[in-house]
Amino acid sequence: MTDVSADERHGYIKEGDKEKLKMRLKRIEGQVRGVQRMIEEEAYCVDVITQISSYMAASEKVASLVLKDHMDHCVKAALRDGGEQADAKMEELKEAIDRFLKLD
């Protein structure tokens, strides 16, 4: 079996960003559990909505960081190499941004 370099792997995330993402995701997980508890305890609706908006915003920050890493690594590499790969990565990036912004 051959080793795959970091440049050839899919899902590349910068090491410093990986730790940030893991911390944010653990915080989101706690927030979701808190909302579940609020529902079970029949907390005030507005308080539940406030907590939901909090973890939605945190999820958007996670997605934004992953998207940034994708652009900094995968897209830049494809553009450097040029050719059809660059066009494909640009199209993939457009689709990812549309999904992220819910444009379609």
Side-chain angles (χ1 to χ4, degrees):
M1 178 159 65
T2 61
D3 288 332
V4 176
S5 73
D7 290 341
E8 296 171 345
R9 283 193 317 242
H10 290 282
Y12 173 85
I13 295 174
K14 295 177 191 164
E15 190 58 37
D17 289 347
K18 187 181 287 188
E19 291 307 312
K20 286 181 202 172
L21 289 168
K22 287 168 56 175
M23 287 176 23
R24 286 180 189 267
L25 290 168
K26 286 179 190 244
R27 193 173 315 127
I28 292 167
E29 182 180 28
Q31 290 171 316
V32 170
R33 273 194 246 107
V35 169
Q36 289 172 332
R37 199 168 32 260
M38 291 174 81
I39 297 293
E40 290 170 7
E41 296 170 359
E42 298 182 17
Y44 185 58
C45 300
V46 173
D47 293 339
V48 174
I49 295 295
T50 300
Q51 290 305 310
I52 290 171
S53 69
S54 177
Y55 73 69
M56 287 174 64
S59 295
E60 288 174 356
K61 286 183 182 186
V62 167
S64 177
L65 188 54
V66 172
L67 188 58
K68 179 185 173 297
D69 278 355
H70 177 65
M71 289 186 300
D72 287 346
H73 176 73
C74 302
V75 175
K76 278 185 182 178
L79 292 175
R80 269 192 310 272
D81 295 343
E84 290 181 29
Q85 183 68 9
D87 292 339
K89 280 294 177 194
M90 288 305 295
E91 187 59 34
E92 178 184 71
L93 178 60
K94 288 179 205 172
E95 291 172 6
I97 290 170
D98 285 349
R99 276 194 302 275
F100 180 62
L101 298 175
K102 297 173 184 74
L103 296 177
D104 40 331

